[in-house]
Amino acid sequence: FLDSLNRILLVVGICAAVAAAAAGAVLAKSLSVPLLKVTEMTRKISEGDYGMRLENGNRQTQELVELSSAVNHMAESLERQETLRRRLTSDVAHELRTPVANVSLNLEMMLDEVWEPTKDRLQSCYEELGRISGIISDLEKLRQMETENMNLELEPVNLLELAQAVETAFEPDLKKKKLTCEVSGEAAAVMGDQRRLHQVIFNLVSNAVKYSGDKPAEISVSAEMLPNEIRVSVTDNGIGISDTNLQHIFDKFYRVPSGNLHNVKGFGLGLYYVKDMMSKHGGSVTVKSQPGKGTTFTLHFKN
């Protein structure tokens, strides 16, 4: 009986070992194949290839599914950033090429005494140099935004007065494009960096002016004090923003397609600056928009 029992246990043990080995091999393969794909994808990403995506199989564990999704998300983000970086390089080259060429041509013709150095020609050179200075200023703002130890000069800031100052600064552009801008609300005060908050509101109004469209546009800036927060809203009735573009408008270097508006310039840093600066002030920014009807950006400050 004992001999028979031992033989049975031996056979059962061998069968169990074989079954465990087979199950282990299947499990190892189900784990190793996705991990090898992840390894291959991360290698390609490190080499600059962001087009590969991982597919989630039915037999993958939840951890592998989450890992694959995270890697896919990383690849999509890097691919988008690389596309935007390349577009920035192209835009900078294009924006610099024209004013540099104009200044060079004017100076060359005047040095060769083909043209006389008249006031108008010198004024044209001065304006082109101003465009170059503006491009350099935008790139300098990007460098400042990416500096982690940026120090804010905090002081009481009246947001309503700040909005009025921005409206005054835009009077020539508003008159030129036949736009109206109304500032209203309460004298809401927050602790912040006045110069940088001025730039935040300036960027929002600038976008409203740029994307006003062909119809008579109305821009409104309002400040209001609520029990838990202070809000500043910039509203326009311009071309609006689609849901697809709303997902990316605060991304660095992202520019909303302007359609038939060919005079819209910039490097996609304005709204990135707004979001970054609001975060540094402990606040936030939200946006609501409808294509063809307009857009509202709202700054939220803690009260």
Side-chain angles (χ1 to χ4, degrees):
F1 173 76
L2 290 176
D3 290 340
S4 299
L5 182 61
N6 288 334
R7 285 194 295 272
I8 293 172
L9 291 176
L10 179 62
V11 172
V12 171
I14 293 173
C15 293
V18 172
V26 173
L27 180 60
K29 184 177 180 180
S30 66
L31 291 173
S32 62
V33 172
L35 289 176
L36 288 173
K37 290 182 179 179
V38 171
T39 303
E40 176 66 14
M41 182 171 176
T42 53
R43 184 185 64 79
K44 289 189 175 182
I45 289 175
S46 68
E47 295 173 353
D49 182 2
Y50 308 118
M52 185 178 177
R53 296 293 183 271
L54 295 173
E55 296 182 0
N56 293 324
N58 296 329
R59 297 182 179 181
Q60 291 185 8
T61 63
Q62 181 64 28
E63 291 77 8
L64 284 174
V65 171
E66 292 178 358
L67 176 61
S68 299
S69 299
V71 174
N72 285 338
H73 179 73
M74 179 183 67
E76 291 170 2
S77 178
L78 290 172
E79 184 177 27
R80 184 170 63 252
Q81 290 298 321
E82 178 65 15
T83 301
L84 295 175
R85 185 193 64 78
R86 290 178 180 175
R87 189 174 70 182
L88 173 69
T89 304
S90 175
D91 289 345
V92 170
H94 176 75
E95 292 291 335
L96 286 174
R97 186 183 302 113
T98 302
V100 168
N102 290 340
V103 171
S104 298
L105 176 63
N106 276 276
L107 292 178
E108 182 181 0
M109 298 298 282
M110 285 186 281
L111 287 172
D112 292 342
E113 299 183 352
V114 177
W115 291 345
E116 293 184 3
T118 62
K119 181 179 179 180
D120 289 341
R121 291 192 178 105
L122 293 175
Q123 179 66 29
S124 175
C125 290
Y126 177 79
E127 291 175 355
E128 295 294 352
L129 290 174
R131 288 177 59 186
I132 296 174
S133 177
I135 295 171
I136 296 173
S137 177
D138 286 342
L139 296 176
E140 177 64 16
K141 288 175 186 175
L142 174 61
R143 185 194 66 79
Q144 292 177 353
M145 284 185 285
E146 293 179 337
T147 302
E148 294 182 0
N149 58 349
M150 176 189 290
N151 294 321
L152 300 178
E153 299 177 4
L154 299 179
E155 59 180 320
V157 179
N158 189 317
L159 295 174
L160 182 61
E161 291 181 358
L162 214 58
Q164 292 169 340
V166 170
E167 191 272 337
T168 301
F170 272 97
E171 282 183 355
D173 294 305
L174 295 170
K175 186 177 296 185
K176 182 178 179 180
K177 296 191 69 173
K178 297 180 180 180
L179 308 176
T180 60
C181 182
E182 180 181 353
V183 179
S184 61
E186 307 169 79
V190 298
M191 288 298 295
D193 189 311
Q194 180 165 327
R195 180 171 61 87
R196 293 189 170 102
L197 289 180
H198 180 279
Q199 186 66 47
V200 166
I201 300 176
F202 185 95
N203 288 355
L204 295 180
V205 176
S206 175
N207 275 0
V209 172
K210 287 179 182 178
Y211 295 94
S212 57
D214 298 327
K215 62 182 180 181
E218 299 176 356
I219 302 170
S220 64
V221 185
S222 62
E224 57 179 335
M225 295 187 65
L226 300 175
N228 298 322
E229 66 175 6
I230 296 173
R231 293 180 184 173
V232 176
S233 299
V234 179
T235 303
D236 65 72
N237 63 341
I239 63 174
I241 307 170
S242 68
D243 291 339
T244 302
N245 292 316
L246 278 177
Q247 302 175 30
H248 307 295
I249 57 171
F250 294 110
D251 292 350
K252 189 191 306 180
F253 307 138
Y254 187 82
R255 290 193 301 169
V256 176
S258 54
N260 296 326
L261 305 180
H262 302 295
N263 60 338
V264 176
K265 298 180 180 180
F267 301 122
L269 297 176
L271 292 179
Y272 173 75
Y273 181 93
V274 170
K275 182 179 180 180
D276 180 75
M277 203 50 57
M278 288 300 297
S279 176
K280 285 181 169 60
H281 279 81
S284 61
V285 56
T286 57
V287 57
K288 294 181 180 179
S289 185
Q290 285 185 288
K293 294 185 178 181
T295 305
T296 297
F297 286 93
T298 303
L299 305 176
H300 302 267
F301 296 89
K302 294 180 181 179
N303 195 351

